[in-house]
């Protein structure tokens, strides 16, 4: 199972890199026969479902008609890199990638949020590990994807155990590479999300360390600033379509698992398990959500992970009210 997840994500990275370059060469969202929104997605969440179901395209086909281009990415950082160079109009990532992107001057805006309970991931250790708590990881090889939501989760989890990132040997790997390293015994602990999280438990006997789950957080819908400023009506219609997809997904989890199995090639029994913990509800950016993301940005500054202070409110769009 780990091998298939590894191969899947590596193929996704190659496809997304090629597609982003191709779309960049072809022009912006207004090219072709009419308005077009270019959406970057990963192999999870409400954007994957919207891509698979076709309901967003159907909603946007009503007058004034617009089309959708879908581009697949292996993780949030490369997705936002593509957005930063103008190859994407909209996409979704965890909480950490937009902070790094904003610190680097990327022209992105937070346009929506998907609150996450944290149940769809956690800290895993091999079945043979002697570690009984996160505090036991001092000096150990602690793996997470740099600049991803797992980076923030790792910092929080270690702080709660009285440790810092400096107290562990940090191993920065993309999810698929982390899966391979975990299966081969190359790391001592791994902060990861589904489907990798559940796959390692089911197929390798991995054990969840400490409190089950990741710290509550959010995924964010991000958009290029030009798209927000130049096409607000299309942005709102797109967000309305994603919110409708999220409501459908929350009420039809068995169908969600079947759609994800068709899209990803992962076993249906695995996805039937993971979708029960997934979060799909798309909400506008609120003052509370902006403040929570600011706390994360301030943590990264304190830890020296970003070079300068980031003001999340400067990149927050609050003009969308769901239909």
């Amino acid at each position: 199972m780990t091998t298939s997840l590894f191969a899947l994500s590596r193929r996704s990275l190659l496809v997304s890199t090629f597609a982003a370059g191709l779309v960049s060469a072809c022009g912006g969202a207004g090219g072709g026969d009419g308005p077009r929104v270019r959406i970057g997605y990963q192999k999870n969440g409400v954007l994957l479902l919207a891509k698979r179901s076709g309901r967003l395209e159907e909603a946007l086909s009503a007058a004034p008609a617009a089309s959708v281009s879908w581009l697949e990415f292996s993780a949030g950082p490369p997705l936002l890199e593509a957005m930063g160079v103008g190859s994407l109009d909209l996409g979704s990532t965890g909480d950490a990638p937009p902070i790094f992107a904003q610190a680097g001057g990327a022209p992105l805006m937070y346009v929506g949020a998907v609150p996450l309970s944290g149940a769809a991931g956690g800290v895993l250790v091999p079945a043979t590990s002697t570690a009984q708590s996160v505090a036991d990881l001092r000096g150990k090889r602690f793996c997470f994807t740099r600049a991803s939501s797992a980076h923030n989760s790792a910092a929080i989890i270690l702080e709660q155990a009285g440790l810092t990132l400096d107290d562990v040997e940090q191993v920065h790997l993309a999810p698929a590479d982390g899966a391979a390293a975990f299966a081969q015994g190359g790391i001592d602990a791994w902060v990861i999300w589904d489907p990798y999280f559940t796959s390692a438990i089911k197929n390798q006997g991995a054990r969840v360390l400490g409190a089950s789950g990741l710290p509550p957080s959010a995924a964010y819908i991000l958009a290029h600033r030009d798209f927000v400023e130049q096409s607000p009506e299309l942005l709102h219609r797109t967000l309305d379509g994603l919110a409708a997809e999220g409501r459908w997904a929350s009420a039809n989890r068995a169908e969600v698992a079947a759609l994800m199995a068709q899209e990803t090639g992962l076993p249906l029994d695995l996805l039937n398990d993971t979708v029960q913990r997934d979060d799909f509800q798309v909400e506008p950016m609120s003052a509370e959500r902006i403040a929570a993301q600011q706390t994360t940005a301030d943590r990264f500054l304190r830890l020296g992970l970003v070079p300068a202070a980031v003001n999340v409110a400067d990149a927050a769009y609050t003009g969308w009210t769901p239909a």
Side-chain angles (χ1 to χ4, degrees), residues 29-313:
D33 297 330
R36 175 164 54 99
V37 55
R38 301 163 301 171
I39 301 178
Y41 73 99
Q42 301 176 56
K43 287 287 191 181
N44 55 48
V46 69
L47 267 66
L48 173 64
L49 295 175
K51 185 260 183 185
R52 181 70 194 186
S53 74
R55 282 184 284 263
L56 180 60
E57 284 96 329
E58 182 178 354
L60 293 181
S61 68
S67 61
V68 180
S69 296
W70 296 95
L71 304 176
E72 181 187 329
F73 290 83
S74 62
L79 187 156
L80 292 185
E81 288 175 10
M83 185 178 293
V85 298
S87 295
L88 287 180
D89 300 308
L90 185 141
S92 179
T93 77
D95 53 7
I99 293 172
F100 286 94
Q102 190 180 358
L108 60 81
M109 298 195 75
Y110 297 84
V111 297
V114 180
L116 302 177
S117 68
V123 180
L124 295 179
V125 294
T128 56
S129 174
T130 60
Q132 297 301 313
S133 69
V134 174
D136 294 332
L137 298 180
R138 184 185 297 273
K140 302 296 185 181
R141 295 164 297 182
F142 194 53
C143 180
F144 53 87
T145 304
R146 180 174 176 79
S148 75
S149 59
H151 200 152
N152 184 41
S153 294
I156 294 173
I157 289 166
L158 289 171
E159 286 177 0
Q160 292 173 342
L163 302 177
T164 71
L165 289 169
D166 291 335
D167 291 319
V168 297
E169 181 182 338
Q170 298 177 50
V171 180
H172 300 151
L173 295 174
D177 296 328
F182 189 83
Q184 296 163 9
I187 53 179
D188 299 306
W190 186 26
V191 182
I192 192 58
W193 53 80
D194 276 329
Y196 301 94
F197 177 73
T198 299
S199 175
I201 293 172
K202 285 180 172 290
N203 296 298
Q204 299 170 30
R207 178 163 52 86
V208 181
L209 189 65
S212 180
L214 297 171
S217 61
Y220 291 97
I221 310 295
L222 289 306
H224 193 285
R225 186 175 291 270
D226 287 349
F227 181 61
V228 175
E229 295 176 350
Q230 298 172 13
S231 304
E233 181 181 1
L234 180 53
L235 170 65
H236 293 178
R237 294 174 65 201
T238 302
L239 291 172
D240 284 340
L242 294 176
E245 193 75 31
R247 291 191 295 271
W248 178 87
S250 296
N252 297 276
R253 293 181 184 268
E255 290 89 338
V256 168
L259 284 171
M260 286 189 167
Q262 294 170 12
E263 181 69 20
T264 66
L266 296 176
L268 182 59
D269 62 340
L270 172 67
L271 294 171
N272 275 326
D273 187 347
T274 64
V275 299
Q276 298 306 315
R277 297 185 295 276
D278 282 344
D279 303 282
F280 300 105
Q281 195 69 37
V282 179
E283 301 177 353
M285 290 298 294
S286 64
E288 292 78 13
R289 185 54 58 195
I290 294 170
Q293 184 68 343
Q294 187 63 54
T295 297
T296 301
D298 293 344
R299 177 181 300 109
F300 283 2
L301 179 65
R302 185 177 71 249
L303 295 173
L305 300 176
V306 291
V310 169
N311 187 348
V312 173

